Amino acid sequence: LYTFGVEGWIQTPQGCFLFVLVTSLLPLCFIRDLSRLAWTSLFGLLCEVAVVIFMIVRLVGGEYRVGGTFYESQLPTTEVSWGFGGPQIYTVNLSVFVLIGSMSTAFLAHYNAPKFYHQLRVRNPKTFFWATAGGYLLALLLYATGMVVGYLTFGQNCKGNILHNYSPRDLGATFCRMMIMLATSCGFPLCFTGLRSATLALFSWDSQSLTWVPVNLLLLSVIAVLGSILTDLGVVNSLGGVTLGTLIELVFPGLMIIWTYRAKLGKWRLGAFEGTMVAYTLIGLGGVLFVF
């Protein structure tokens, strides 16, 4: 909007977010059948591919190097910076735990797995396996390419949202911001349906009951408030991944193993090694990842 000369409250991040939420996300989130979102999801994926291609073009062209076409028009602290020396490909420090937290969120889709399987055109484990493997592999390639290209373009000044590094005068970057907005709008309902289903199940509400509309509106209102307050996408993504990822993938399974071992439930009872060493190792590893 800044590029097109739009001014006022609507030009602020909060204004843009609320506008998109009301005009695009609200109608999409009321769709019950995920299969209806197939084409919008494909469109969102193509938008993300276009953004990665743009990043590669700008890296190869050198427009954001010192003295490049858009270098002088970048916002403060977004220019390329390497600190001491050039790119440090093999450096490992505590920041790697931030990456782990982000990756926990990046590949978080298991809560929709039953719906995805149920709504497959050809429903069988083999089809589901190839669909899942293909989707995760494509996502991995996009993530890895985006991270490497972003780092090689801006160095240590990479922002949580890499498009913030690009100049406001770069029309290609403006187009990519629009693409990401569309991709997020198309993919958001898939994540939202997991939140809605969990909320309905928590309170034992039926999705066909009169609570359907109020639950949707309430959850979107909470998201609107949080989205207006929180500004750093990278921190939110990493913190959410660390918090929810470590709890779901490490801490909760460890606790379940301990409780199962102590209660001696099931035909196959857990041994002392699984009920103590394995369980406490999982909980301890989850605590370490959460702290760092």
Side-chain angles (χ1 to χ4, degrees):
L1 294 179
Y2 172 84
T3 305
F4 297 106
V6 177
E7 298 180 355
W9 179 80
I10 192 64
Q11 189 263 337
T12 63
Q14 291 79 9
C16 292
F17 170 68
L18 293 177
F19 176 78
V20 172
L21 180 67
V22 173
T23 58
S24 299
L25 301 184
L26 181 62
L28 290 175
C29 287
F30 275 91
I31 297 178
R32 298 174 185 265
D33 188 358
L34 292 182
S35 62
R36 297 182 180 179
L37 300 174
W39 290 108
T40 58
S41 299
L42 177 61
F43 177 72
L45 176 62
L46 295 177
C47 290
E48 295 179 4
V49 172
V51 172
V52 173
I53 294 175
F54 163 79
M55 294 173 62
I56 296 174
V57 171
R58 285 289 184 261
L59 171 63
V60 175
E63 287 86 351
Y64 286 89
R65 298 173 187 168
V66 178
T69 305
F70 297 109
Y71 179 79
E72 296 296 334
S73 61
Q74 287 181 263
L75 299 176
T77 72
T78 62
E79 306 93 343
V80 57
S81 174
W82 299 110
F84 300 98
Q88 301 176 11
I89 304 299
Y90 300 105
T91 300
V92 178
N93 51 41
L94 291 178
S95 298
V96 73
F97 290 104
V98 178
L99 174 62
I100 294 175
S102 298
M103 296 295 281
S104 298
T105 302
F107 294 99
L108 202 65
H110 62 274
Y111 46 78
N112 280 332
K115 287 187 177 181
F116 291 154
Y117 181 83
H118 178 72
Q119 297 180 5
L120 280 175
R121 183 175 300 174
V122 180
R123 192 187 312 162
N124 58 63
K126 183 178 180 180
T127 303
F128 183 70
F129 169 79
W130 286 113
T132 304
Y136 272 77
L137 178 60
L138 181 58
L140 177 61
L141 291 176
L142 288 175
Y143 294 151
T145 304
M147 287 190 294
V148 172
V149 172
Y151 177 70
L152 293 178
T153 305
F154 301 107
Q156 297 180 3
N157 275 345
C158 290
K159 301 300 180 182
N161 183 348
I162 194 64
L163 290 179
H164 288 171
N165 284 88
Y166 292 90
S167 169
R169 300 184 183 278
D170 188 345
L171 293 180
T174 300
F175 177 77
C176 286
R177 294 184 183 100
M178 295 174 60
M179 292 296 99
I180 288 296
M181 180 193 71
L182 294 175
T184 304
S185 300
C186 294
F188 179 85
L190 297 177
C191 299
F192 180 80
T193 187
L195 174 63
R196 181 182 59 212
S197 298
T199 302
L200 292 172
L202 179 64
F203 295 99
S204 300
W205 291 336
D206 186 0
S207 61
Q208 305 296 329
S209 65
L210 297 177
T211 59
W212 173 263
V213 173
V215 167
N216 279 279
L217 294 177
L218 177 61
L219 293 177
L220 287 173
S221 298
V222 174
I223 293 173
V225 173
L226 294 177
S228 301
I229 296 175
L230 303 174
T231 58
D232 194 325
L233 181 62
V235 172
V236 174
N237 186 46
S238 300
L239 184 60
V242 168
T243 303
L244 301 179
T246 55
L247 289 176
I248 295 174
E249 299 169 10
L250 296 171
V251 177
F252 289 164
L255 292 175
M256 292 172 65
I257 292 174
I258 293 175
W259 293 334
T260 303
Y261 170 69
R262 292 179 177 178
K264 301 185 183 301
L265 298 175
K267 180 179 179 181
W268 302 101
R269 298 183 179 180
L270 296 175
F273 177 77
E274 294 86 353
T276 55
M277 291 295 297
V278 173
Y280 287 110
T281 299
L282 290 175
I283 296 174
L285 182 59
V288 171
L289 292 177
F290 180 80
V291 171
F292 290 101

